[in-house]
Amino acid sequence: MASEDEKSRWQYLNEEAKAGRLYLDPSVATSCRDASNKQIDLFNQLKNDLQSVATVSGLGRFPAADELAKMLGMKAVGGERDFNTAFQEHIDVLTLIRDTIEISVNKYQDQQVAQAQALTSQGANLPNGGQ
């Protein structure tokens, strides 16, 4: 399961990115963003697949069979420390990672554009247009 420390760490980094204090190289960040999206898709598919095993049957006709079937189904969905919740926690952290990367790249690109515009403006103010 995704730890609260991991989620807190990425929430902090997300705020740093929003504040413009976290910059990632766009080429590296793009790969990380794509990998995050791939994992999010995988965990969503796994969550969907869990629905098919949430109802367990075929364990026979003995007194504990129904209770065992219920217990196994609850491990997939709805029970304490179930897989469905674990997958959702991972999805939440991966979404935070992806969003943090996206914010960082956007801030980096905005900074690059601002610097280019500033240089263009400085050149225009020089004699002969900076040529």
Side-chain angles (χ1 to χ4, degrees), residues 4-73:
E4 284 302 314
D5 288 343
E6 186 176 359
K7 190 171 183 179
S8 294
R9 182 179 315 116
W10 280 102
Q11 286 170 332
Y12 169 77
L13 291 172
N14 188 277
E15 292 303 316
E16 290 294 294
K18 287 176 183 174
R21 293 185 293 263
L22 176 68
Y23 294 102
L24 300 172
D25 180 280
S27 63
V28 173
T30 299
S31 296
C32 292
R33 183 201 58 214
D34 293 346
S36 296
N37 281 329
K38 188 175 179 179
Q39 283 302 118
I40 289 168
D41 291 344
L42 173 65
F43 284 127
N44 278 321
Q45 182 59 49
L46 290 171
K47 280 183 62 165
N48 290 336
D49 292 347
L50 280 175
Q51 300 308 314
S52 66
V53 295
T55 304
V56 177
S57 61
L59 296 178
R61 297 190 178 272
F62 56 95
D66 291 340
E67 191 59 35
L68 179 60
K70 180 180 174 186
M71 211 170 58
L72 291 172

Side-chain angles (χ1 to χ4, degrees), residues 13 16-26 29 100-101 103-112 115:
L13 291 172
E16 290 294 294
K18 287 176 183 174
R21 293 185 293 263
L22 176 68
Y23 294 102
L24 300 172
D25 180 280
T100 301
I101 290 167
I103 291 166
S104 174
V105 168
N106 290 341
K107 292 278 186 180
Y108 179 84
Q109 289 171 340
D110 290 348
Q111 182 185 38
Q112 296 300 310
Q115 287 176 349

Side-chain angles (χ1 to χ4, degrees), residues 60 67 74 76 98 129:
E67 191 59 35
M74 296 287 283
R98 182 203 57 210

